[in-house]
Amino acid sequence: QVQLVESGGGLVQAGGSLRLSCAASGRTGSIYAAGWFRQAPGKEREFVAAINWSGGNTYYADFVKGRFTISRENAKKTVYLQMNSLKPEDTAVYYCAAAPGYSLTKNAANYGSWGQGTQVTVSS
């Protein structure tokens, strides 16, 4: 019922920054939380950050260590991921997701809608 489209990925040098966007459409009234996940080649998809859709409270994976910031703009039905001080190990396909009935969850199983992903490549 919810469609998500990511954008903003690209190639950046280590230490640089990127801002990812995810536009939501459809039955967005059912969204309680939005999250960002990433998946590198040969690895499992892992949680990056989540935000409560209405309240704006946030939750981050430990490896982010203050480098990433998740935010949302309700009027535009868009969630963002600001990534600073990027490292080569951040290279992955980044996915946004929407969770009905859960807030600030890192469990991928709780997310019912997923975007197609956007590639982020960090060179050393």
Short mmCIF file of all heavy atoms in Angstrom, two decimals, residues 58-98:
data_model
loop_
_atom_site.label_atom_id
_atom_site.label_comp_id
_atom_site.label_asym_id
_atom_site.label_seq_id
_atom_site.Cartn_x
_atom_site.Cartn_y
_atom_site.Cartn_z
N THR A 58 14.40 9.57 16.94
CA THR A 58 15.31 8.81 16.09
C THR A 58 16.04 7.71 16.85
O THR A 58 16.14 7.74 18.08
CB THR A 58 16.35 9.73 15.44
OG1 THR A 58 17.08 10.43 16.47
CG2 THR A 58 15.68 10.75 14.54
N TYR A 59 16.57 6.75 16.10
CA TYR A 59 17.30 5.62 16.64
C TYR A 59 18.35 5.23 15.60
O TYR A 59 18.03 5.12 14.41
CB TYR A 59 16.35 4.46 16.93
CG TYR A 59 17.00 3.19 17.41
CD1 TYR A 59 17.83 3.18 18.52
CD2 TYR A 59 16.75 1.98 16.77
CE1 TYR A 59 18.41 2.01 18.97
CE2 TYR A 59 17.33 0.80 17.20
CZ TYR A 59 18.15 0.82 18.31
OH TYR A 59 18.73 -0.34 18.75
N TYR A 60 19.60 4.98 16.05
CA TYR A 60 20.70 4.73 15.14
C TYR A 60 21.44 3.45 15.48
O TYR A 60 21.55 3.06 16.65
CB TYR A 60 21.71 5.89 15.17
CG TYR A 60 21.14 7.21 14.69
CD1 TYR A 60 20.64 8.13 15.59
CD2 TYR A 60 21.12 7.53 13.34
CE1 TYR A 60 20.13 9.35 15.16
CE2 TYR A 60 20.61 8.73 12.90
CZ TYR A 60 20.12 9.64 13.81
OH TYR A 60 19.61 10.84 13.38
N ALA A 61 22.00 2.82 14.46
CA ALA A 61 22.90 1.70 14.67
C ALA A 61 24.20 2.19 15.30
O ALA A 61 24.61 3.34 15.10
CB ALA A 61 23.19 0.99 13.34
N ASP A 62 24.85 1.31 16.07
CA ASP A 62 26.06 1.71 16.79
C ASP A 62 27.17 2.17 15.85
O ASP A 62 27.93 3.09 16.19
CB ASP A 62 26.56 0.55 17.65
CG ASP A 62 25.65 0.26 18.84
OD1 ASP A 62 24.86 1.15 19.22
OD2 ASP A 62 25.74 -0.85 19.39
N PHE A 63 27.29 1.54 14.70
CA PHE A 63 28.42 1.86 13.82
C PHE A 63 28.34 3.24 13.20
O PHE A 63 29.31 3.72 12.63
CB PHE A 63 28.55 0.78 12.72
CG PHE A 63 27.40 0.68 11.78
CD1 PHE A 63 27.23 1.60 10.75
CD2 PHE A 63 26.48 -0.35 11.90
CE1 PHE A 63 26.16 1.51 9.88
CE2 PHE A 63 25.41 -0.46 11.02
CZ PHE A 63 25.25 0.48 10.02
N VAL A 64 27.16 3.90 13.29
CA VAL A 64 27.03 5.24 12.72
C VAL A 64 27.86 6.25 13.52
O VAL A 64 28.48 7.15 12.95
CB VAL A 64 25.55 5.66 12.69
CG1 VAL A 64 25.42 7.11 12.27
CG2 VAL A 64 24.77 4.77 11.74
N LYS A 65 27.88 6.11 14.84
CA LYS A 65 28.72 6.91 15.74
C LYS A 65 28.62 8.41 15.49
O LYS A 65 29.63 9.11 15.40
CB LYS A 65 30.16 6.44 15.66
CG LYS A 65 30.36 5.00 16.11
CD LYS A 65 31.83 4.60 16.08
CE LYS A 65 32.02 3.18 16.58
NZ LYS A 65 33.43 2.77 16.58
N GLY A 66 27.40 8.91 15.33
CA GLY A 66 27.17 10.33 15.18
C GLY A 66 27.40 10.88 13.79
O GLY A 66 27.25 12.09 13.58
N ARG A 67 27.76 10.04 12.83
CA ARG A 67 28.06 10.52 11.48
C ARG A 67 26.81 10.73 10.63
O ARG A 67 26.82 11.57 9.72
CB ARG A 67 29.00 9.55 10.78
CG ARG A 67 30.35 9.38 11.45
CD ARG A 67 31.26 8.44 10.66
NE ARG A 67 30.70 7.09 10.59
CZ ARG A 67 30.43 6.44 9.46
NH1 ARG A 67 30.65 7.03 8.28
NH2 ARG A 67 29.94 5.20 9.49
N PHE A 68 25.76 9.95 10.88
CA PHE A 68 24.55 9.99 10.06
C PHE A 68 23.41 10.65 10.84
O PHE A 68 23.32 10.53 12.06
CB PHE A 68 24.11 8.59 9.65
CG PHE A 68 25.05 7.86 8.72
CD1 PHE A 68 26.25 8.42 8.32
CD2 PHE A 68 24.72 6.60 8.25
CE1 PHE A 68 27.12 7.74 7.47
CE2 PHE A 68 25.57 5.91 7.41
CZ PHE A 68 26.76 6.48 7.01
N THR A 69 22.50 11.30 10.11
CA THR A 69 21.32 11.90 10.70
C THR A 69 20.10 11.57 9.85
O THR A 69 20.10 11.83 8.64
CB THR A 69 21.46 13.42 10.82
OG1 THR A 69 22.60 13.75 11.61
CG2 THR A 69 20.22 14.02 11.47
N ILE A 70 19.07 11.00 10.46
CA ILE A 70 17.82 10.72 9.77
C ILE A 70 16.81 11.79 10.13
O ILE A 70 16.76 12.26 11.27
CB ILE A 70 17.29 9.31 10.11
CG1 ILE A 70 16.08 8.95 9.24
CG2 ILE A 70 16.96 9.19 11.59
CD1 ILE A 70 15.62 7.51 9.39
N SER A 71 16.02 12.20 9.15
CA SER A 71 15.00 13.22 9.37
C SER A 71 13.85 12.97 8.41
O SER A 71 13.95 12.12 7.52
CB SER A 71 15.56 14.63 9.18
OG SER A 71 16.04 14.82 7.86
N ARG A 72 12.75 13.68 8.62
CA ARG A 72 11.62 13.54 7.71
C ARG A 72 10.90 14.86 7.56
O ARG A 72 10.94 15.72 8.45
CB ARG A 72 10.64 12.45 8.18
CG ARG A 72 9.55 12.92 9.16
CD ARG A 72 10.07 12.93 10.58
NE ARG A 72 9.05 13.29 11.55
CZ ARG A 72 8.87 14.51 12.02
NH1 ARG A 72 9.69 15.49 11.65
NH2 ARG A 72 7.91 14.75 12.90
N GLU A 73 10.24 15.03 6.43
CA GLU A 73 9.44 16.20 6.13
C GLU A 73 8.03 15.69 5.82
O GLU A 73 7.77 15.22 4.71
CB GLU A 73 10.03 16.98 4.97
CG GLU A 73 9.41 18.34 4.75
CD GLU A 73 10.17 19.16 3.73
OE1 GLU A 73 11.31 18.79 3.39
OE2 GLU A 73 9.62 20.17 3.26
N ASN A 74 7.15 15.77 6.79
CA ASN A 74 5.83 15.15 6.68
C ASN A 74 5.01 15.71 5.51
O ASN A 74 4.32 14.96 4.83
CB ASN A 74 5.05 15.32 7.98
CG ASN A 74 5.60 14.48 9.11
OD1 ASN A 74 6.43 13.60 8.89
ND2 ASN A 74 5.14 14.74 10.32
N ALA A 75 5.08 17.03 5.30
CA ALA A 75 4.29 17.64 4.23
C ALA A 75 4.68 17.10 2.87
O ALA A 75 3.84 17.00 1.97
CB ALA A 75 4.43 19.16 4.27
N LYS A 76 5.94 16.75 2.69
CA LYS A 76 6.43 16.21 1.43
C LYS A 76 6.46 14.69 1.43
O LYS A 76 6.82 14.08 0.42
CB LYS A 76 7.83 16.75 1.12
CG LYS A 76 7.87 18.25 0.90
CD LYS A 76 9.28 18.73 0.61
CE LYS A 76 9.82 18.15 -0.68
NZ LYS A 76 11.17 18.69 -1.01
N LYS A 77 6.09 14.07 2.56
CA LYS A 77 6.11 12.62 2.70
C LYS A 77 7.46 12.04 2.31
O LYS A 77 7.55 11.07 1.56
CB LYS A 77 4.98 11.99 1.88
CG LYS A 77 3.60 12.46 2.26
CD LYS A 77 2.52 11.84 1.40
CE LYS A 77 1.14 12.32 1.79
NZ LYS A 77 0.08 11.72 0.92
N THR A 78 8.51 12.66 2.83
CA THR A 78 9.87 12.30 2.47
C THR A 78 10.73 12.11 3.71
O THR A 78 10.64 12.89 4.66
CB THR A 78 10.49 13.39 1.57
OG1 THR A 78 9.69 13.56 0.40
CG2 THR A 78 11.90 13.01 1.15
N VAL A 79 11.57 11.08 3.69
CA VAL A 79 12.53 10.83 4.75
C VAL A 79 13.93 10.99 4.17
O VAL A 79 14.17 10.65 3.00
CB VAL A 79 12.33 9.44 5.39
CG1 VAL A 79 12.53 8.33 4.36
CG2 VAL A 79 13.26 9.25 6.58
N TYR A 80 14.86 11.51 4.97
CA TYR A 80 16.21 11.80 4.52
C TYR A 80 17.24 11.07 5.38
O TYR A 80 17.00 10.75 6.53
CB TYR A 80 16.50 13.30 4.58
CG TYR A 80 15.50 14.16 3.85
CD1 TYR A 80 14.43 14.73 4.52
CD2 TYR A 80 15.63 14.40 2.49
CE1 TYR A 80 13.51 15.52 3.85
CE2 TYR A 80 14.72 15.19 1.82
CZ TYR A 80 13.66 15.75 2.50
OH TYR A 80 12.75 16.53 1.83
N LEU A 81 18.39 10.83 4.80
CA LEU A 81 19.55 10.34 5.55
C LEU A 81 20.75 11.17 5.16
O LEU A 81 21.26 11.05 4.05
CB LEU A 81 19.81 8.86 5.26
CG LEU A 81 20.93 8.23 6.08
CD1 LEU A 81 20.54 8.14 7.55
CD2 LEU A 81 21.29 6.84 5.55
N GLN A 82 21.18 12.04 6.08
CA GLN A 82 22.38 12.84 5.88
C GLN A 82 23.57 12.04 6.37
O GLN A 82 23.62 11.67 7.54
CB GLN A 82 22.27 14.17 6.64
CG GLN A 82 23.51 15.04 6.55
CD GLN A 82 23.75 15.58 5.15
OE1 GLN A 82 22.82 16.06 4.51
NE2 GLN A 82 24.98 15.47 4.68
N MET A 83 24.53 11.79 5.50
CA MET A 83 25.69 10.96 5.82
C MET A 83 26.94 11.82 5.72
O MET A 83 27.27 12.33 4.64
CB MET A 83 25.78 9.76 4.88
CG MET A 83 24.52 8.89 4.88
SD MET A 83 24.70 7.41 3.86
CE MET A 83 24.82 8.16 2.24
N ASN A 84 27.64 11.98 6.84
CA ASN A 84 28.87 12.76 6.90
C ASN A 84 30.03 11.84 7.27
O ASN A 84 29.85 10.75 7.79
CB ASN A 84 28.75 13.89 7.92
CG ASN A 84 27.65 14.86 7.61
OD1 ASN A 84 27.39 15.17 6.44
ND2 ASN A 84 26.98 15.37 8.65
N SER A 85 31.25 12.33 7.02
CA SER A 85 32.46 11.58 7.35
C SER A 85 32.39 10.14 6.83
O SER A 85 32.67 9.18 7.54
CB SER A 85 32.70 11.59 8.87
OG SER A 85 32.82 12.92 9.35
N LEU A 86 32.02 10.00 5.58
CA LEU A 86 31.82 8.68 4.99
C LEU A 86 33.13 7.90 4.90
O LEU A 86 34.20 8.47 4.67
CB LEU A 86 31.19 8.81 3.61
CG LEU A 86 29.69 9.13 3.63
CD1 LEU A 86 29.24 9.63 2.28
CD2 LEU A 86 28.90 7.89 4.04
N LYS A 87 33.02 6.60 5.10
CA LYS A 87 34.14 5.68 5.05
C LYS A 87 33.93 4.66 3.94
O LYS A 87 32.79 4.40 3.56
CB LYS A 87 34.28 4.94 6.39
CG LYS A 87 34.37 5.84 7.61
CD LYS A 87 34.35 5.03 8.89
CE LYS A 87 34.41 5.91 10.12
NZ LYS A 87 34.35 5.11 11.37
N PRO A 88 35.01 4.07 3.42
CA PRO A 88 34.84 3.04 2.38
C PRO A 88 33.91 1.91 2.80
O PRO A 88 33.19 1.37 1.96
CB PRO A 88 36.27 2.55 2.14
CG PRO A 88 37.12 3.73 2.46
CD PRO A 88 36.43 4.40 3.63
N GLU A 89 33.90 1.55 4.08
CA GLU A 89 33.04 0.49 4.55
C GLU A 89 31.56 0.87 4.55
O GLU A 89 30.70 0.02 4.80
CB GLU A 89 33.45 0.02 5.96
CG GLU A 89 33.61 1.14 6.96
CD GLU A 89 35.05 1.58 7.13
OE1 GLU A 89 35.76 1.72 6.10
OE2 GLU A 89 35.48 1.79 8.28
N ASP A 90 31.25 2.14 4.28
CA ASP A 90 29.86 2.56 4.12
C ASP A 90 29.32 2.24 2.74
O ASP A 90 28.12 2.42 2.49
CB ASP A 90 29.71 4.06 4.38
CG ASP A 90 30.00 4.45 5.82
OD1 ASP A 90 29.58 3.71 6.73
OD2 ASP A 90 30.64 5.50 6.03
N THR A 91 30.17 1.79 1.84
CA THR A 91 29.76 1.46 0.49
C THR A 91 28.72 0.34 0.51
O THR A 91 28.96 -0.73 1.06
CB THR A 91 30.97 1.04 -0.36
OG1 THR A 91 31.86 2.15 -0.50
CG2 THR A 91 30.53 0.59 -1.75
N ALA A 92 27.56 0.60 -0.09
CA ALA A 92 26.46 -0.36 -0.08
C ALA A 92 25.30 0.20 -0.88
O ALA A 92 25.30 1.38 -1.26
CB ALA A 92 26.01 -0.67 1.35
N VAL A 93 24.31 -0.64 -1.12
CA VAL A 93 23.02 -0.17 -1.61
C VAL A 93 22.19 0.19 -0.39
O VAL A 93 22.03 -0.61 0.53
CB VAL A 93 22.30 -1.23 -2.45
CG1 VAL A 93 20.92 -0.74 -2.86
CG2 VAL A 93 23.13 -1.58 -3.68
N TYR A 94 21.67 1.41 -0.37
CA TYR A 94 20.88 1.90 0.75
C TYR A 94 19.41 1.85 0.41
O TYR A 94 18.99 2.31 -0.66
CB TYR A 94 21.30 3.32 1.12
CG TYR A 94 22.60 3.37 1.89
CD1 TYR A 94 23.81 3.09 1.26
CD2 TYR A 94 22.62 3.67 3.25
CE1 TYR A 94 25.00 3.10 1.96
CE2 TYR A 94 23.81 3.70 3.95
CZ TYR A 94 25.00 3.41 3.30
OH TYR A 94 26.18 3.43 4.02
N TYR A 95 18.61 1.29 1.33
CA TYR A 95 17.18 1.13 1.15
C TYR A 95 16.42 1.89 2.23
O TYR A 95 16.81 1.89 3.39
CB TYR A 95 16.77 -0.34 1.25
CG TYR A 95 17.41 -1.25 0.23
CD1 TYR A 95 18.64 -1.84 0.46
CD2 TYR A 95 16.76 -1.54 -0.96
CE1 TYR A 95 19.22 -2.69 -0.47
CE2 TYR A 95 17.32 -2.39 -1.90
CZ TYR A 95 18.56 -2.96 -1.64
OH TYR A 95 19.13 -3.81 -2.57
N CYS A 96 15.33 2.54 1.86
CA CYS A 96 14.42 3.07 2.85
C CYS A 96 13.24 2.12 3.00
O CYS A 96 12.93 1.34 2.10
CB CYS A 96 13.94 4.48 2.49
SG CYS A 96 12.93 4.62 1.00
N ALA A 97 12.61 2.16 4.16
CA ALA A 97 11.53 1.24 4.48
C ALA A 97 10.53 1.92 5.40
O ALA A 97 10.86 2.86 6.12
CB ALA A 97 12.07 -0.03 5.13
N ALA A 98 9.29 1.43 5.37
CA ALA A 98 8.22 1.96 6.20
C ALA A 98 7.64 0.84 7.05
O ALA A 98 7.42 -0.27 6.56
CB ALA A 98 7.13 2.60 5.35
#
